[in-house]
Amino acid sequence: MKEEMTKDLRFVLKHYKTDTLDTKIALKEVKRRAGIRTQRLSWKWTSIAAMLLAFIATGTYYAMRPSATVIASGDVLLNYTLPDSTHLTLSPHSTLSYQGNNCRKVNMTGKIYFQVRHDELHPFDIQGKICHVRVLGTQFEVAENNSFSEVFVTSGRVLFSSRFQNEGLILTKGMKARLTKGEKKPVKTGTGDVNCVAWATHQFHFENTPLKDVLACLSDYYHVQLTSDDPDKRLSGDFDADSIQQITALIEHALNVRIERK
């Protein structure tokens, strides 16, 4: 080792001239003779290191993020109660999800009927793909597909807006509105028929309704064809949707008509 250092020193002295010694060249030669290599990280190793850091950061984020709860109805109608006592009825092929314990801020797809527990301090927020609905406590239906979202309120009041805009509509009992994809604000589509949510409530309400309209509603719900010998008579009343036979029997008795089922 001493012999190598002596050779290096001789090299430096040999090449030294006043004001002309290139220290970079001299140092390079010394390192070459001593077998010392200057190590640099190539772009390849630098990229690998950056990727590893990114993976670590991503893994840490997902590990610390609250777990998600997902409710999916599959091919059937599903009734579900959230931890805050809000009741949901999911139509087939619908989903609802929320992060951690915050079940008052949910994401949804498909069609869901909500019966939200009132809580002034914690509004209930629903995010669809294109819509946002905020409520305190009420009952309403939200239906969404790839083209539009619709909200129908059966009681209480909700704020219906685009997911990407702050401006929206206040809807109260009986109101219905639609938000088309790409539009900034939903528009009212008139009043809704309370029986359109019978799939979730399992109840029918008729108020001085022509019998032909009553039978059309029941036919659509039960997937049958009902006709009457006196379709112009009018009906008022509430009926549970448990049995079509029981409902038609009650109507026949109340209106003194005959109903046929095909």
Side-chain angles (χ1 to χ4, degrees), residues 215 219 225-231 258-262:
L215 297 181
S219 296
Q225 184 177 352
L226 299 174
T227 59
S228 171
D229 57 352
D230 195 349
R258 180 177 178 81
I259 296 174
E260 292 185 0
R261 174 180 172 182
K262 297 181 181 179

Side-chain angles (χ1 to χ4, degrees), residues 170-181:
I170 297 294
L171 302 178
T172 57
K173 181 179 179 180
M175 290 185 178
K176 190 173 185 178
R178 171 178 289 198
L179 173 66
T180 303
K181 185 176 181 180

Side-chain angles (χ1 to χ4, degrees), residues 29-74:
E29 182 63 19
V30 169
K31 288 183 177 181
R32 185 187 68 78
R33 293 191 178 198
I36 301 173
R37 294 182 179 179
T38 302
Q39 306 234 345
R40 295 181 180 178
L41 286 175
S42 68
W43 67 269
K44 177 179 179 181
W45 291 107
T46 303
S47 299
I48 292 175
M51 290 174 63
L52 287 173
L53 288 173
F55 280 127
I56 292 171
T58 302
T60 302
Y61 168 76
Y62 280 105
M64 297 180 65
R65 188 179 67 170
S67 59
T69 299
V70 180
I71 303 123
S73 58

Side-chain angles (χ1 to χ4, degrees), residues 153-217:
V153 180
T154 56
S155 71
R157 188 172 76 161
V158 308
L159 173 64
F160 180 27
S161 65
S162 166
R163 180 169 182 164
F164 313 103
Q165 300 288 335
N166 293 326
E167 188 178 6
L169 286 177
I170 297 294
L171 302 178
T172 57
K173 181 179 179 180
M175 290 185 178
K176 190 173 185 178
R178 171 178 289 198
L179 173 66
T180 303
K181 185 176 181 180
E183 296 295 327
K184 294 182 178 181
K185 186 178 179 180
V187 294
K188 293 180 182 178
T189 55
T191 56
D193 180 4
V194 67
N195 293 316
C196 73
V197 295
W199 65 271
T201 62
H202 305 295
Q203 291 185 330
F204 296 104
H205 173 75
F206 302 108
E207 187 172 344
N208 197 31
T209 306
L211 182 56
K212 60 181 179 181
D213 293 339
V214 172
L215 297 181
C217 176

Side-chain angles (χ1 to χ4, degrees), residues 105-106 124-135 142 144 149 151 158-166 168-169 179 186:
K105 187 173 183 178
V106 303
F124 196 94
D125 278 298
I126 303 163
Q127 296 275 12
K129 291 181 179 179
I130 61 177
C131 77
H132 173 220
V133 180
R134 168 168 284 199
V135 299
V142 180
E144 184 175 83
S149 296
V151 173
V158 308
L159 173 64
F160 180 27
S161 65
S162 166
R163 180 169 182 164
F164 313 103
Q165 300 288 335
N166 293 326
L169 286 177
L179 173 66

